Structure formats: C-alpha cells, structure tokens
Amino acid sequence: MARRARRTHSPAFKAKVALAAIKGEKTLAELAQQYDVHANQITSWKAQLIDGAGAVFGGTAGIEATTPVDLKLLHAKIGELALENDFLSGALSKAGLLSAKR
C-alpha cells in the first residue's frame, strides 16, 4: 500500500474542521471522511482551537505572541559585561578601594 504524500492545511481549513467538530452535528468519522483527514488530526485541531479560544477575546496568545530572542546578541552582551566587571574589579583592587575578600 502506497503512502500518501504529506499535506499541509491552511489555518482557515483547520478552523473550519475544528468548529464542525465542536458543533457535534456529525461524528468524527463522518467529518474525517467528509474533509479527507484522519480523526485524530481533527481531535488535535479541536483541542488547539479550544485552548486558544481565549486569545480571540483579548487574552494573551501564549508562546506565539512572544518576540523571538537573539541568543548570539545576548551571549555577546554577557561576555562584554563580564569583561567590564573583571576590568573594574582589578582596577579597584589596585587602587585599594576593593578588598580581596568578597
């Protein structure tokens, strides 16, 4: 039996199928046959819709709403600050303003 090629579905299609599942007018098997997707996929989309429904009314969207963080930039800044701290602590200890013990 040949495997079917992986398909990608649009967010609008996923929402339509999930809403049909939430309405409950048809069984998952009927929806799966009608939309030509697996019943487990419909269950997953339904759960995602229910979990994210609060964001529609002004709530937080969760992880997707956070801005991406540039780790290289943050690591560079940490290194820069560590170097600056080492330099300043050395300068202060030479001047006698910083005790050897912390």
Side-chain angles (χ1 to χ4, degrees):
M1 185 170 172
R3 295 183 88 191
R4 177 184 282 184
R6 183 177 285 266
R7 295 180 294 172
T8 56
H9 300 286
S10 69
F13 176 78
K14 293 176 183 180
K16 181 171 86 170
V17 174
L19 282 173
I22 289 173
K23 286 180 185 178
E25 295 172 355
K26 293 184 179 180
T27 65
L28 283 178
E30 292 171 339
L31 291 173
Q33 187 176 22
Q34 178 183 348
Y35 293 109
D36 194 28
V37 294
H38 198 275
N40 290 343
Q41 188 66 64
I42 295 173
T43 304
S44 173
W45 291 342
K46 179 181 170 184
Q48 287 177 5
L49 180 64
I50 291 171
D51 291 342
V56 172
F57 298 105
T60 60
I63 297 172
E64 294 81 40
T66 61
T67 58
V69 178
D70 185 9
L71 289 179
K72 286 188 177 185
L73 180 66
L74 292 176
H75 284 281
K77 187 64 174 178
I78 290 170
E80 180 183 323
L81 292 174
L83 185 66
E84 185 177 328
N85 283 341
D86 291 343
F87 171 77
L88 291 175
S89 66
L92 287 175
S93 64
K94 284 182 183 177
L97 299 175
L98 184 67
S99 66
K101 293 185 178 177
R102 288 189 189 196

